[in-house]
């Protein structure tokens, strides 16, 4: 079913996913509020059943398909969390799901996808390689490709986070959003700017391999080499034929901030030690940007805590690391 990306589409997505994706709360951060002098709240998408916000977009996209399309089965590309979400939502509706991953996806995320009954195909050393395989399966086997970000139904699903922020924090001044392919940032920006046009939407990513940042700098989608990062969920390209998210981010994001690996680690540690939350690298970047002094909120601020699916051993190692000076 065709979707026009507007506020009505986000409201429709909110209805589509209401019985599957929970409405997450805003958790006041006393420490970050004291640090910045502005009220800071954490949007806890870690509470979703699959441990990340991706369940919203995956459910929205799958439920937007016609019955004939669902019957053909689904294929997707993922850095981990989207694949888990599609596997979860697909199993709930008894659909075949194939998830294409690169060798960079952490083992704990691969295992979680398999446990949900999805078929896993690990191809190449970057998300672009996995994309090629997913497109082949869609072409040769007739599977329906569910994009991790560049799909109006996916974007609308992620945008429901913005609608909830507007309801819970109507005077929001800034929103800090993990930035990868742009589905989350674009959807949230679309929602927030509809009622708060002067609110600042800030995308945050890692210093190495931030494809959307490089594309925005270049003025068009570009290919960026991938590498290992604590924010593994933010890896991968945006597609040279990107249809939706590049334009949304170009028009609606007010700034993009890049973080070092040490800064991301500090965000993970702070989340655990000061907020009592286990958060993966991508989910910690908003906190990390404030700790690093790269973002200074000037009013009520919401930070999207996008996921919790970090390897337990890696999390322990990060907690033992010395703090950034």
């Amino acid at each position: 079913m065709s979707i026009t990306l507007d506020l009505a589409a986000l409201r429709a997505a909110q209805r589509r996913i209401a019985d599957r994706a929970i409405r997450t709360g805003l958790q006041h951060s006393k420490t970050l509020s004291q640090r910045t002098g502005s009220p800071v709240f954490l949007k806890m998408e870690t509470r979703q059943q699959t441990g990340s916000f991706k369940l919203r977009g995956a459910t929205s996209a799958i439920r937007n398909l016609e019955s004939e399309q669902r019957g053909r089965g689904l294929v997707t590309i993922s850095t981990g969390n989207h694949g888990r979400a599609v596997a979860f939502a697909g199993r709930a509706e008894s659909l075949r799901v194939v998830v294409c991953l690169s060798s960079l996806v952490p083992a704990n995320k691969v295992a979680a996808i398999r446990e949900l009954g999805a078929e896993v195909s690990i191809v190449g050393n970057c998300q672009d390689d996995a994309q090629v395989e997913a497109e082949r399966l869609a072409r040769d086997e007739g599977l329906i490709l569910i994009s991790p970000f560049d799909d109006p139904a996916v974007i609308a699903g992620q945008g429901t986070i913005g609608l909830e922020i507007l309801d819970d924090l109507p005077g929001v001044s800034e929103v800090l959003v993990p930035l990868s392919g742009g589905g989350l940032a674009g959807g949230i920006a679309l929602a927030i700017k509809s009622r708060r046009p002067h609110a600042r939407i800030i995308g945050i990513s890692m210093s190495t391999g931030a494809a959307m940042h490089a594309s925005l700098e270049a003025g068009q989608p570009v290919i960026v080499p991938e590498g290992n990062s604590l924010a593994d969920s933010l890896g991968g390209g945006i597609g040279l034929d990107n249809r939706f998210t590049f334009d949304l981010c170009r028009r609606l994001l007010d700034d993009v901030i890049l973080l070092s690996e040490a800064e991301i680690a500090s965000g993970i540690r702070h989340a655990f030690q000061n907020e009592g939350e286990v958060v993966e690298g991508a989910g910690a970047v908003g906190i990390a940007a404030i700790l690093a002094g790269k973002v200074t909120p000037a009013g009520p601020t919401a930070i999207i805590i996008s996921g919790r699916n970090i390897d337990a051993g890696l999390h322990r190692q990060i907690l033992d690391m010395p703090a950034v000076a």
Side-chain angles (χ1 to χ4, degrees):
M1 186 182 300
S2 178
I3 288 178
T4 299
L5 278 170
D6 55 18
L7 191 57
L10 272 59
R11 293 292 187 196
Q14 196 169 43
R15 293 189 292 272
R16 276 198 303 278
I17 70 174
D19 66 338
R20 174 113 348 118
I22 68 169
R23 189 190 191 289
T24 57
L26 283 179
Q27 179 174 303
H28 180 251
S29 172
K30 181 178 179 180
T31 55
L32 294 176
S33 298
Q34 290 175 339
R35 186 184 188 97
T36 63
S38 295
V40 176
F41 300 87
L42 310 179
K43 181 67 167 167
M44 301 305 299
E45 285 299 296
T46 53
R47 304 289 192 259
Q48 299 294 348
Q49 291 185 78
T50 60
S52 86
F53 74 96
K54 288 288 191 177
L55 186 58
R56 295 176 184 260
T59 301
S60 173
I62 290 171
R63 288 187 166 173
N64 191 58
L65 297 174
E66 304 291 345
S67 59
E68 181 275 332
Q69 293 175 304
R70 297 187 198 191
R72 289 158 58 184
L74 312 174
V75 63
T76 195
I77 318 96
S78 179
T79 53
N81 286 338
H82 175 70
R84 186 172 180 176
V86 173
F88 183 92
R91 185 178 71 170
E93 303 197 18
S94 302
L95 306 181
R96 180 192 177 195
V97 175
V98 181
V99 181
C100 297
L101 310 164
S102 82
S103 61
L104 293 178
V105 177
N108 68 302
K109 293 186 176 181
V110 177
I113 292 168
R114 284 200 171 106
E115 287 170 6
L116 288 167
E119 302 167 39
V120 172
S121 177
I122 299 177
V123 181
N125 298 311
C126 65
Q127 193 180 36
D128 289 338
D129 293 337
Q131 174 84 29
V132 170
E133 175 63 7
E135 291 173 349
R136 183 193 70 78
L137 289 169
R139 181 178 62 252
D140 294 350
E141 298 189 21
L143 301 177
I144 298 298
L145 182 60
I146 304 293
S147 171
F149 52 86
D150 199 32
D151 178 311
V154 171
I155 296 166
Q158 320 305 25
T160 61
I161 295 172
L163 297 180
E164 292 174 11
I165 291 172
L166 287 170
D167 287 342
D168 292 345
L169 190 64
V172 63
S173 172
E174 297 185 41
V175 183
L176 311 187
V177 189
L179 178 62
S180 180
L184 177 64
I188 288 175
L190 187 64
I192 298 294
K193 297 280 190 179
S194 69
R195 279 176 34 196
R196 299 279 297 172
H198 300 299
R200 286 173 51 80
I201 312 298
I202 301 173
I204 307 173
S205 197
M206 64 285 193
S207 295
T208 302
M212 182 60 81
H213 174 262
S215 297
L216 293 171
E217 289 280 294
Q220 63 185 15
V222 297
I223 295 174
V224 174
E226 287 184 54
N228 290 310
S229 174
L230 292 175
D232 55 88
S233 294
L234 303 185
I238 70 167
L240 294 180
D241 58 349
N242 186 287
R243 297 176 298 159
F244 304 104
T245 59
F246 173 76
D247 179 64
L248 281 172
C249 290
R250 179 183 58 80
R251 289 190 293 109
L252 300 177
L253 293 190
D254 295 283
D255 199 1
V256 175
I257 303 296
L258 301 183
L259 300 172
S260 70
E261 294 300 298
E263 288 166 343
I264 295 168
S266 291
I268 294 171
R269 278 195 301 275
H270 176 96
F272 186 77
Q273 294 171 350
N274 296 279
E275 313 292 346
E277 301 288 345
V278 174
V279 176
E280 63 184 273
V285 294
I287 293 174
I290 289 179
L291 296 178
K294 293 183 175 180
V295 174
T296 304
T301 297
I303 301 177
I304 310 304
I305 309 299
S306 57
R308 67 169 186 258
N309 299 319
I310 187 171
D311 176 78
L314 175 60
H315 192 255
R316 286 192 295 271
Q317 290 177 30
I318 292 169
L319 295 182
D320 290 338
M321 288 179 182
V324 176

